[in-house]
C-alpha cells in the first residue's frame, strides 16, 4: 500500500525539497496551499504533476480538519510558518497565529481524525536566542529574542505536550539555519548570493546588508529534509537538533560568496544599513547534532563553502536566463 504524506508549506524551500525526497521514497505526496490570486508554485515546477495540492490554511481549523480527514495521511510534516524574523516584529500577531497557534489546530485535526498519524514539527534554532551554552543541544534552555522565536517555542512545546498528553507520535527538528538556491530573496543568505551574482554580471554595483557580525550555523536544506523523514521512521517520537556544528559570521558568508566570482575587495561593494539590524539580536547560534547522528544516523553532507558556491552559481545562471 502506498504511503501518504501531507506537507504544509510545500511551496517553500524545505517543502519542495521534502516533496522531492518523499517522491523518491515512493510516497503519495499531498501539499497544503493557501488560496492566492497568484499561486507561487515555482519551486515545485519539476514535480507539480506528481503531487496533489489541497487548499487550506493554518489559521482555519475547518480546512485542516477536512484535509486530514480526506487524505488520512500516514505522516504530516508541518513546515508552514511566517518564517521571516524581521517581519515578525512588524506582524507579531499574525506570526503568533500562523507559526504558533496554527500548530495546535493541526495537532487537533490529527488527534480527532486518527491519532496514529505521525507528525513532524519544524522547530527553530531561534528558540535558543541568547544562550549561555554553546553549542546548543536538545537540553539547552530556550531564550527566544523575536516574536518569531517565541511563536516557534510555543509550537515546539505544544508538540511535546500532545506527545505526552495524547500519545501522538509527534517529533520536532530543532533546525539551525539551512539554505539553498531556493531560499527566499528576503533572507540574508539569498540576498547575498543574488547580490554577488548581480555585481558579477554588472547588473548592480552594491549590496546593502545589516549586521555582519551575527554568527550562524548554516547547512544545506536538502540535507535537513532527510532527517525530518528519519524522525518519523523511529519507533518512538523525540526531538533532535539538526545542525552542522560549525559557526560562521555573515561577514564570512559575504567574503566566501565574492570569492566564488573572483572578487577579493568585497568591502568596495558592501554597504551597511543600520535599519537592517534586529531590535533584539541573536549574536551566535551553533548546534550540537550528536543525538541525531547517533540515533538517526544523520549527518550533513554539503559543506559551508559548497553551499555558498551552489547558491551563487545558481543565481548567476538564473539571472543569465532572465537576461536572454
Amino acid at each position: 500500500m502506498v504511503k501518504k504524506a501531507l506537507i504544509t508549506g510545500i511551496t517553500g524551500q524545505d517543502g519542495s525539497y521534502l516533496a522531492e525526497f518523499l517522491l523518491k521514497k515512493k510516497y503519495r505526496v499531498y501539499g497544503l496551499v493557501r488560496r492566492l490570486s497568484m499561486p507561487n508554485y515555482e519551486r515545485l515546477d519539476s514535480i507539480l504533476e506528481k503531487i496533489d495540492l489541497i487548499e487550506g490554511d493554518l489559521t482555519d481549523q475547518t480546512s485542516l480538519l477536512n484535509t486530514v480527514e480526506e487524505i488520512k495521511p500516514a505522516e504530516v510534516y508541518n513546515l508552514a510558518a511566517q518564517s521571516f524574523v524581521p517581519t515578525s516584529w512588524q506582524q507579531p500577531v499574525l506570526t503568533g497565529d500562523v507559526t504558533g497557534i496554527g500548530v495546535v489546530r493541526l495537532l487537533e485535526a490529527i488527534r480527532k481524525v486518527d491519532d496514529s498519524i505521525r507528525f513532524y514539527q519544524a522547530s527553530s534554532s531561534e528558540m535558543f536566542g541568547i544562550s549561555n551554552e554553546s553549542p546548543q543541544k536538545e537540553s539547552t534552555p530556550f531564550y527566544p529574542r523575536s516574536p518569531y522565536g517565541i511563536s516557534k517555542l510555543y509550537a515546539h512545546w505544544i508538540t511535546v505536550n500532545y506527545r505526552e498528553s495524547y500519545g501522538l507520535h509527534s517529533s520536532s527538528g530543532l533546525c539551525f539555519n539551512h539554505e539553498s538556491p531556493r531560499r527566499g530573496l528576503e533572507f540574508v543568505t539569498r540576498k547575498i548570493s543574488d547580490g554577488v551574482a548581480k555585481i558579477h554580471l554588472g547588473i548592480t554595483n552594491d549590496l546593502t546588508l545589516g549586521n555582519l557580525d551575527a554568527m550562524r550555523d548554516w547547512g544545506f536544506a536538502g540535507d535537513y529534509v532527510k532527517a525530518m523523514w528519519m524522525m518519523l521512521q523511529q519507533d518512538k517520537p523525540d526531538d533532535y537538533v539538526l545542525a552542522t556544528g560549525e559557526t560562521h559570521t555573515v561577514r564570512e558568508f559575504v567574503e566566501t560568496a565574492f570569492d566564488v566570482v573572483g572578487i577579493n575587495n568585497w568591502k568596495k561593494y558592501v554597504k551597511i544599513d543600520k535599519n537592517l539590524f534586529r531590535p533584539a539580536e541573536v549574536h551566535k547560534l551553533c548546534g550540537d547534532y550528536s543525538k541525531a547522528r547517533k540515533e538517526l544516523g544523520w549527518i550533513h553532507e554539503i559543506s559551508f563553502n559548497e553551499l555558498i558556491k551552489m547558491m551563487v552559481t545558481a543565481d548567476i545562471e538564473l539571472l543569465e536566463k532572465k537576461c536572454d
Side-chain angles (χ1 to χ4, degrees):
M1 188 174 179
V2 176
K3 219 173 187 180
K4 298 177 184 177
L6 171 64
I7 303 172
T8 71
I10 195 170
T11 60
Q13 169 189 257
D14 291 7
S16 63
Y17 279 112
L18 179 60
E20 290 174 356
F21 178 82
L22 293 178
L23 285 173
K24 290 177 181 176
K25 293 287 183 181
K26 306 302 180 183
Y27 279 67
R28 182 168 182 182
V29 176
Y30 295 82
L32 188 75
V33 294
R34 286 180 297 150
R35 171 83 167 81
L36 298 173
S37 57
M38 293 288 288
N40 179 21
Y41 301 152
E42 183 180 333
R43 296 182 179 95
L44 301 173
D45 280 346
S46 64
I47 60 171
L48 203 52
E49 295 182 357
K50 301 176 182 178
I51 60 178
D52 297 279
L53 300 180
I54 296 181
E55 287 187 5
D57 198 302
L58 287 185
T59 63
D60 182 62
Q61 183 72 68
T62 302
S63 69
L64 297 178
L65 193 59
N66 289 342
T67 297
V68 176
E69 178 66 50
E70 179 183 342
I71 298 171
K72 289 186 172 61
E75 299 169 3
V76 173
Y77 296 84
N78 182 43
L79 308 184
Q82 190 302 100
S83 59
F84 191 44
V85 176
T87 297
S88 73
W89 274 287
Q90 298 166 6
Q91 300 181 47
V93 176
L94 173 67
T95 301
D97 192 19
V98 175
T99 308
I101 303 300
V103 179
V104 186
R105 297 187 184 105
L106 191 51
L107 285 166
E108 272 294 284
I110 291 170
R111 184 175 73 87
K112 290 179 178 179
V113 173
D114 181 356
D115 62 9
S116 71
I117 294 171
R118 298 191 173 196
F119 177 76
Y120 170 83
Q121 166 59 19
S123 291
S124 170
S125 59
E126 288 289 331
M127 301 187 313
F128 291 115
I130 298 176
S131 177
N132 293 323
E133 183 176 274
S134 185
Q136 292 89 39
K137 53 182 179 289
E138 292 79 7
S139 60
T140 300
F142 298 116
Y143 195 144
R145 295 272 282 171
S146 67
Y148 169 75
I150 293 165
S151 300
K152 278 290 188 181
L153 184 53
Y154 176 87
H156 176 78
W157 279 120
I158 202 67
T159 300
V160 173
N161 184 259
Y162 269 62
R163 178 169 75 216
E164 296 178 348
S165 300
Y166 301 115
L168 296 187
H169 194 296
S170 53
S171 297
S172 291
L174 290 85
C175 297
F176 281 66
N177 296 64
H178 46 289
E179 319 297 323
S180 76
R182 300 180 191 176
R183 192 56 138 159
L185 286 166
E186 69 273 23
F187 291 87
V188 67
T189 51
R190 183 72 194 288
K191 185 177 182 181
I192 292 168
S193 63
D194 176 71
V196 170
K198 287 177 177 175
I199 291 170
H200 171 69
L201 295 173
I203 298 172
T204 187
N205 294 315
D206 54 61
L207 172 60
T208 303
L209 299 170
N211 182 14
L212 298 185
D213 295 319
M215 304 177 74
R216 294 292 184 269
D217 183 327
W218 279 297
F220 172 52
D223 287 339
Y224 286 50
V225 300
K226 298 176 185 177
M228 298 174 189
W229 173 79
M230 287 176 173
M231 287 182 207
L232 297 198
Q233 311 317 305
Q234 303 303 301
D235 291 335
K236 295 181 179 180
D238 207 343
D239 306 321
Y240 298 88
V241 164
L242 303 180
T244 70
E246 299 177 9
T247 300
H248 300 273
T249 62
V250 175
R251 180 178 283 101
E252 287 178 80
F253 200 108
V254 171
E255 185 176 0
T256 304
F258 274 102
D259 282 345
V260 172
V261 295
I263 296 177
N264 297 319
N265 57 335
W266 61 268
K267 293 180 181 179
K268 172 184 174 182
Y269 301 95
V270 175
K271 296 180 179 180
I272 303 301
D273 182 353
K274 294 290 184 179
N275 293 319
L276 296 178
F277 281 56
R278 294 183 181 184
E281 182 62 85
V282 174
H283 299 288
K284 181 180 179 179
L285 290 171
C286 181
D288 176 357
Y289 69 101
S290 57
K291 180 179 176 181
R293 182 175 61 239
K294 180 181 178 181
E295 296 186 12
L296 303 178
W298 178 81
I299 58 170
H300 67 95
E301 297 178 8
I302 301 298
S303 70
F304 178 72
N305 287 357
E306 289 171 333
L307 171 64
I308 297 175
K309 183 177 180 179
M310 178 197 304
M311 293 178 67
V312 173
T313 302
D315 273 323
I316 290 173
E317 292 175 355
L318 182 63
L319 290 166
E320 286 177 334
K321 287 180 181 178
K322 290 181 179 179
C323 292
D324 287 344

